[in-house]
Amino acid sequence: MLGTTDRAAADGGNGPAAPPAPGSAGPADGAARKRKRRRRLRRVALVLLLVLLVPVLAAETALRINYTGDLADGTRSRDRDAMWLGHAWVDGRRTDADLAALARRLEDTGIRDLYVHTGPLEHDGTLRESLYPKARRLVDAVHRELPGVRVQAFLGDVLATEGPDGMRLEKAATRAAVVRSARQVLDAGYDGVHLDLEPLHSGDRNYLSLLDDLRGVTRAEGAQLSVAAHQIDPLPAFHSVWGTVTGHPKWWSQEFFAQVARRVDQIALMSYDTMQPLESLYGGYVAQQTSLALEVTPPTTHLLMGLPFYHENRFGHWNHAETVSAAVRGVRLGLSRTDPGRARFGVAAYIDFAATEEDWTAYREGWVR
């Protein structure tokens, strides 16, 4: 008896195709199984997408709702606001005319602290005096033209927390050098020290130790100690989850924020670069951050919420969303819900050289008046 192959060969390969052997797949069955696999993969992909999107959509919906509501009476400037200024004010590029214009700009605002970029610090914690040759001139001029306004030295550096280069706070010698740099700027006439070290991971005990040492110096000099602070976890332990996924934790725990706030005179939360795509979502996020910060900042510590007086479009900061008007409304909503009578509270504008008239108008109309 001829096999299937033999029969096909005998009639020149033109005979009828042999039926599939039991248990084997024919063309129709194979195609059906492929369609089933594709459908199964699409269902799995849809489930995974929903698993990822549903929490995000829920969180964004909560932020949108957080941007609604009434503003409590009295939730406006306490004349305790601040502004970050660029390095040009201390390296000689700014003139007397610039200072006169700044004085006119600030005279009808609540800005009482200027954080003037004086660094950067070297990675070993030292500070080159050649970086700020006009510091004394600036401080004297501000005291003369704007009585009651303090000038603090804004000192910062990149930390080696997410890469090989940068300052290493685990080194006692580096922390000691930062303390000496603080004495150095106070000797130059500054009214305080404003520290901004990034990226600073939540729970960093070396940072807390540094703040303790700096507080001893500033208190002895009757000067201010202020810091720029990371945002607070919008969800519990979110910094841990985000850090595991991206390698950049970004947020601080609320507990760590409280530990920092107890060690300083002023803490300015950098409530910008939030990744929010819409103005309403950004405002709701700022309202949430304001409430979280108010809950744990001692009443003796001056809390400031950052306002984005700059304009960029990149991942993390959308210019159309992160507006001063949305930030101010968010601040007032958070203040209204959490502690409307808080005295040591204000906003801090970042940064002078990028500010527009629209920014100043939104600040004045939404917060000052």
Side-chain angles (χ1 to χ4, degrees):
M1 180 175 173
L2 294 174
T4 303
T5 305
D6 295 330
R7 286 198 302 270
D11 62 16
N14 295 321
S24 66
D29 291 337
R33 275 201 293 271
K34 287 181 181 179
R35 287 195 296 271
K36 288 180 180 179
R37 280 198 298 269
R38 285 197 294 268
R39 285 197 296 269
R40 189 180 303 116
L41 288 173
R42 283 197 294 268
R43 285 196 295 269
V44 170
L46 179 60
V47 169
L48 290 175
L49 184 63
L50 290 174
V51 167
L52 293 173
L53 282 182
V54 168
V56 173
L57 291 174
E60 297 293 76
T61 300
L63 292 181
R64 179 63 185 88
I65 295 171
N66 209 33
Y67 193 54
T68 62
D70 297 327
L71 302 172
D73 293 338
T75 53
R76 289 188 180 272
S77 178
R78 282 90 163 105
D79 288 335
R80 288 181 174 273
D81 302 332
M83 186 170 204
W84 283 277
L85 301 185
H87 199 86
W89 291 98
V90 294
D91 66 5
R93 283 176 288 167
R94 292 292 189 178
T95 65
D96 290 339
D98 292 323
L99 183 61
L102 178 66
R104 290 192 299 272
R105 174 72 77 180
L106 300 183
E107 62 185 359
D108 60 346
T109 71
I111 294 174
R112 297 294 178 268
D113 282 281
L114 301 176
Y115 305 140
V116 184
H117 191 268
T118 306
L121 295 166
E122 301 296 321
H123 291 341
D124 64 2
T126 58
L127 176 66
R128 289 181 286 127
E129 291 187 7
S130 60
L131 289 174
Y132 54 99
K134 304 298 183 179
R136 175 76 69 172
R137 169 180 168 273
L138 172 68
V139 174
D140 290 345
V142 169
H143 289 170
R144 182 179 65 252
E145 301 294 331
L146 295 165
V149 174
R150 293 177 295 208
V151 185
Q152 301 190 43
F154 169 12
L155 304 178
D157 192 21
V158 175
L159 296 177
T161 50
E162 298 174 10
D165 299 322
M167 181 183 290
R168 297 185 179 277
L169 291 180
E170 66 271 21
K171 294 183 177 181
T174 299
R175 298 196 303 274
V178 174
V179 174
R180 289 194 298 273
S181 295
R183 289 196 180 95
Q184 186 176 316
V185 294
L186 293 178
D187 289 342
Y190 282 102
D191 301 306
V193 176
H194 179 77
L195 196 62
D196 178 20
L197 302 176
E198 302 179 46
L200 180 62
H201 291 181
S202 184
D204 192 322
R205 304 301 305 180
N206 294 310
Y207 180 67
L208 298 180
S209 176
L210 173 61
L211 293 181
D212 288 336
D213 293 340
L214 287 170
R215 188 71 179 273
V217 171
T218 55
R219 276 183 169 174
E221 296 292 331
Q224 294 286 296
L225 175 60
S226 60
V227 295
H230 288 33
Q231 296 157 30
I232 301 172
D233 279 333
L235 297 170
F238 194 64
H239 71 278
S240 297
V241 175
W242 192 263
T244 300
V245 174
T246 68
H248 172 53
K250 183 176 173 63
W251 293 271
W252 287 354
S253 71
Q254 194 180 35
E255 178 186 5
F256 185 66
F257 188 94
Q259 291 173 333
V260 173
R262 289 196 295 269
R263 288 169 163 82
V264 298
D265 298 300
Q266 299 176 337
I267 184 166
L269 194 156
M270 296 180 287
S271 41
Y272 35 76
D273 292 349
T274 65
M275 297 183 286
Q276 296 304 319
L278 299 175
E279 195 173 20
S280 58
L281 300 180
Y282 172 62
Y285 183 89
V286 172
Q288 181 201 43
Q289 289 290 307
T290 302
S291 292
L292 290 171
L294 283 167
E295 287 170 359
V296 296
T297 301
T300 53
T301 299
H302 180 185
L303 171 64
L304 300 115
M305 301 300 297
L307 302 181
F309 275 48
Y310 66 102
H311 304 273
E312 298 175 1
N313 276 307
R314 53 178 168 74
F315 179 75
H317 179 93
W318 303 111
N319 188 52
H320 67 273
E322 296 198 9
T323 65
V324 174
S325 58
V328 166
R329 178 173 171 79
V331 168
R332 294 187 64 194
L333 284 167
L335 188 62
S336 299
R337 294 167 183 154
T338 313
D339 191 357
R342 176 71 68 112
R344 295 180 180 273
F345 183 86
V347 296
Y350 183 87
I351 188 167
D352 71 303
F353 56 77
T356 65
E357 287 298 328
E358 183 180 2
D359 297 330
W360 283 106
T361 298
Y363 162 65
R364 284 195 176 88
E365 294 183 353
W367 180 248
V368 177
R369 296 174 185 169

